[in-house]
Amino acid sequence: MEREGKIVEKLAAALNEQGSAPLEWFRPKVVLIVREGYIHSAPRMSLENLTSCEHVRCMSRQREARHPSPPVVAHFGDPRGYRLELGELGRIFNAALQINGIESTALFVQEWGPFEDGKPVFNEHDLFRFTKSNPYTGEESEEQCFPMEFFSVAEMCAVALHLRTTMYLWEQMENGRFPVGYNHEGKVFIKKADIGDISISDSLQNEIAYSLQQAEIKGSASSEVAPFVLAALLRDGMKTARFGTEVVVRGGCLIPYQVPKNLLSLLWKIAQDTISYSLSGSYLRLKRCAAPDCGLWDRVDEPLTGDARMIKRSDGSYWHDRCVRRHRERGRRARKAEVEGRVPKVRPGRRVNNPYESTKKDAP
């Protein structure tokens, strides 16, 4: 285990030196929340639009499993490529955990891009033609549109719930707590006292931990059940991920590591590396800031500096440097007010978005 930990440190150091990006992805030019079957009429080819010149019929990946189909997160236009730097891992992971409705879903895709690129549907049943009218001449022409599959809002919310549940359970287990129980139907659920229970079943009513057999957990103590539940949650998430393989040389050693193929794979790679950091190749570890008014995940290794730097405290918890200084300043003001015989003024400052306090649905 110690040897594998050293390999992880070597890998992280090599990637930092090279300035390697864990993912090269894209931001779409246009993001629309539409119903399945919506036809996006492509603009004419121009210098601003060089590739998106085909009419697209928006399809949901879950269209055969749910009727009526949920809103689809469609994206169009020439993509704007970007490199996701190691120092941005915390920002994108926190943003993904906060997805829980149409508004937060659209904002995430606009800022970071879709979980996966749209997938063309090569199926004669889905091929579609429509009549397009020229608004100036009134002339009508028959056009063909190409069906594309996109993530639905419900699917993206389900992924965020799956990630939140996985990370919450792991963090509780790290602190010696095993918040698992059974509902009246005998299904396992995660007990979360501060905002209610997070069930293992996601928002699409698919049981995330379906591979966990009742025989394995019936009658077992919470401390015995929790590892099986966490393993099932992580395993089912990683099934949706796709990776390539790269190799770096550090100190004469060849170190292979996984490279995510898309944004969804990156998110599950972060979760896996955070939970299983002792494994070689786990180079995307994050820690959650334990400050009461923060709670955001961030990278504990380089290249974070300044206020964003994570500090390990004497009790083993991690805090942002800015959160430590803010906490100390509040304590100083409180002590001063006590000496002067007055009540300290409350200065909440800038409130961050804790991903575990954002599980309410977006406002309509």
Side-chain angles (χ1 to χ4, degrees), residues 214-257:
Q214 287 288 335
E216 295 182 64
I217 59 178
K218 187 175 182 179
S220 301
S222 295
S223 59
E224 298 173 339
V225 175
F228 285 100
V229 176
L230 180 61
L233 289 169
L234 185 59
R235 179 174 58 245
D236 290 350
M238 292 300 293
K239 285 180 181 178
T240 64
R242 296 187 297 112
F243 300 97
T245 302
E246 294 287 346
V247 181
V248 297
V249 179
R250 181 75 174 182
C253 298
L254 298 178
I255 307 175
Y257 65 98

Side-chain angles (χ1 to χ4, degrees), residues 70-203:
V72 174
V73 189
H75 49 88
F76 311 100
D78 293 339
R80 297 163 291 168
Y82 73 95
R83 284 166 52 90
L84 182 69
E85 304 297 337
L86 289 169
E88 296 180 302
L89 292 179
R91 288 181 56 209
I92 193 171
F93 196 64
N94 290 315
L97 292 176
Q98 293 163 8
I99 293 174
N100 201 21
I102 291 178
E103 182 179 356
S104 55
T105 301
L107 288 174
F108 180 89
V109 177
Q110 288 168 359
E111 182 173 4
W112 299 106
F115 281 169
E116 294 179 354
D117 200 357
K119 179 183 177 183
V121 179
F122 299 101
N123 188 333
E124 291 185 6
H125 176 73
D126 291 321
L127 291 179
F128 187 77
R129 290 183 179 274
F130 70 103
T131 302
K132 186 176 181 180
S133 176
N134 188 313
Y136 300 103
T137 65
E139 182 181 353
E140 294 184 345
S141 60
E142 189 179 63
E143 303 280 349
Q144 183 176 14
C145 63
F146 296 85
M148 292 277 290
E149 287 184 341
F150 300 98
F151 267 81
S152 67
V153 172
E155 284 181 285
M156 292 192 66
C157 290
V159 170
L161 172 63
H162 194 163
L163 283 167
R164 280 199 304 272
T165 306
T166 303
M167 301 311 294
Y168 174 78
L169 177 58
W170 171 75
E171 192 175 25
Q172 293 295 301
M173 290 171 60
E174 286 288 286
N175 294 322
R177 294 186 290 270
F178 306 94
V180 295
Y182 298 92
N183 62 14
H184 64 280
E185 297 176 349
K187 291 185 178 180
V188 179
F189 66 94
I190 311 297
K191 295 184 288 187
K192 198 171 189 312
D194 53 348
I195 59 170
D197 295 334
I198 297 180
S199 172
I200 290 179
S201 294
D202 63 25
S203 60

Side-chain angles (χ1 to χ4, degrees), residues 252-278:
C253 298
L254 298 178
I255 307 175
Y257 65 98
Q258 291 179 316
V259 180
K261 291 287 190 180
N262 52 46
L263 206 51
L264 180 64
S265 304
L266 174 74
L267 295 172
W268 280 112
K269 175 65 174 170
I270 293 173
Q272 175 185 256
D273 287 4
T274 300
I275 292 172
S276 307
Y277 183 65
S278 60

